[in-house]
Amino acid sequence: MDVKAYIDGFLARYKPYKPYWNYEDGCVLIGCVHLFQATKDTRYRDFVLDYLSQRVMPDGDIPTYERGQYNIDSINTGKTLFFALDQTGDERYRKAIEWHMERLRQHPRCQCGNYWHKSIYPNQIWLDGLYMAQPFVMAYEMRFGGMRKVADIVMQFQNVRKFLFDEAKGLCYHAYDEARVQPWANKQTGCSPNFWLRSMGWYLMALVDCMDGMNEQLFEHYKALEAIFREAIRGILRYQDPKTGLFYQVIDRADVAGNYLETSGSAMIAYALMKGERMGALLQGRYAALGAKAFDSLVSDKLYADEDGVVRLHDICLVAGLGPGEKRDGSVAYYLSEPRACDDSKGVGPFMMAYAQRLRMGE
């Protein structure tokens, strides 16, 4: 299957995921940034700049940003503003970066120090949120913040390791309720009951992207994140399907009827494995090959034409969450009940990121 032709077609017919500033579009834009860096094909750069120029005003304001809620997901697309600033020199992007950072300065936090996931999910840490915010903050600190908040970034990852990591399984639970009042939360640990693949994918990408943004002055902080990353990689690899290299929607329950090898989380882990070895965060000679195996299986098993003749990326979990209230209880049955989609941005974006790493494996 011609991966480049698929991505070109996907971008040509792409419609914004939502009418407002959203993290799903950000996944595709970040994929384009990675592919531009890997190939220097200006079509990827132009896709990003065209999207941003229509939504970021000259004064840096983003009219479609949802101001009425503290939603950590909304930070994700802001990562591409650094790229836009570098490519254009346009000060609107510098102002928009600062605007995002100000939102994070005001963002509510748990008592342990981590950002709430959203205002409708108070006192909760979700693995998803580490990816949405922490690489943005790292990029900001390295360029504009004087590295003053790097310790805060590391602390938030260390809290996840402390509160969400299961030693026996080698995995992190999807979420943690510090108040222990949510119906899905274990009353002793505060954790949700199962291990969802995409949440672990978000987490591993967050770690490797934060490490990638650090310099030699941050050696101790880097080693702290590296230790967490390596441990998480060892854990997730226990559950890699030996035949395909892919991973199950509910990671540790391959025995359950209806569980399936899911695309978005597998792409994220493939990305983390290949990038982690290329950066030197993982030992040379093994991990990138495991990531490449997963990516190649996505191409051979999940990328194919439907009855209308259009090639699409299949088996992407459309959405999964916890609550609010009695909704979405975090059970195995719940995660397997969510619909599977084709060409969803949450899958195609990470697929593009993994493809960029696949192209760079020779470096």
Side-chain angles (χ1 to χ4, degrees), residues 214-232:
M214 302 170 85
N215 64 24
E216 293 180 358
Q217 297 178 57
L218 299 172
F219 177 78
E220 295 299 329
H221 290 311
Y222 180 93
K223 297 304 287 185
L225 293 186
E226 183 184 66
I228 295 171
F229 177 65
R230 288 179 172 180
E231 179 182 59

Side-chain angles (χ1 to χ4, degrees), residues 284-296:
Q284 301 295 305
R286 177 184 178 221
Y287 295 95
L290 293 172
K293 179 179 180 179
F295 178 79
D296 292 347

Side-chain angles (χ1 to χ4, degrees), residues 109-337:
R109 294 192 183 223
C110 299
Q111 291 184 6
C112 68
N114 283 58
Y115 296 123
W116 285 9
H117 192 61
K118 299 181 185 180
S119 57
I120 62 169
Y121 302 128
N123 305 300
Q124 296 171 41
I125 305 169
W126 293 21
L127 295 183
D128 320 30
L130 277 293
Y131 177 74
M132 303 302 166
Q134 301 305 333
F136 174 88
V137 179
M138 183 65 76
Y140 181 88
E141 287 302 315
M142 298 308 296
R143 295 185 59 164
F144 307 121
M147 299 183 284
R148 290 184 293 273
K149 298 295 184 181
V150 171
D152 182 79
I153 297 169
V154 174
M155 174 271 293
Q156 296 198 42
F157 281 108
Q158 289 172 330
N159 280 341
V160 168
R161 171 62 180 79
K162 179 179 179 181
F163 297 119
L164 284 82
F165 186 73
D166 185 284
E167 295 274 0
K169 294 286 188 177
L171 299 169
C172 289
Y173 292 99
H174 185 178
Y176 167 74
D177 172 25
E178 188 176 61
R180 292 166 173 72
V181 298
Q182 297 303 317
W184 50 260
N186 182 291
K187 300 308 177 187
Q188 280 70 50
T189 67
C191 291
S192 57
N194 283 291
F195 306 101
W196 178 43
L197 179 61
R198 190 156 70 222
S199 69
M200 276 299 295
W202 292 128
Y203 182 58
L204 291 171
M205 291 204 303
L207 282 161
V208 77
D209 286 356
C210 281
M211 288 189 291
D212 192 32
M214 302 170 85
N215 64 24
E216 293 180 358
Q217 297 178 57
L218 299 172
F219 177 78
E220 295 299 329
H221 290 311
Y222 180 93
K223 297 304 287 185
L225 293 186
E226 183 184 66
I228 295 171
F229 177 65
R230 288 179 172 180
E231 179 182 59
I233 288 290
R234 290 194 299 271
I236 195 69
L237 287 178
R238 290 162 55 182
Y239 307 95
Q240 188 173 30
D241 178 57
K243 180 180 178 181
T244 64
L246 302 177
F247 297 84
Y248 282 89
Q249 162 79 340
V250 182
I251 301 170
D252 62 327
R253 297 305 308 274
D255 59 305
V256 175
N259 204 358
Y260 63 99
L261 296 169
E262 196 274 335
T263 294
S264 66
S266 293
M268 293 173 177
I269 296 166
Y271 166 85
L273 287 165
M274 289 185 282
K275 184 174 182 178
E277 181 170 319
R278 185 173 60 80
M279 287 169 44
L282 299 174
L283 296 178
Q284 301 295 305
R286 177 184 178 221
Y287 295 95
L290 293 172
K293 179 179 180 179
F295 178 79
D296 292 347
S297 289
L298 291 175
V299 175
S300 62
D301 297 356
K302 305 295 188 180
L303 193 65
Y304 55 85
D306 288 334
E307 293 179 357
D308 59 3
V310 177
V311 174
R312 295 185 175 91
L313 188 64
H314 294 75
D315 286 339
I316 302 167
C317 175
L318 184 60
V319 66
L322 295 157
E326 299 291 337
K327 300 177 182 178
R328 306 191 299 181
D329 64 1
S331 65
V332 173
Y334 159 69
Y335 285 114
L336 299 183
S337 74

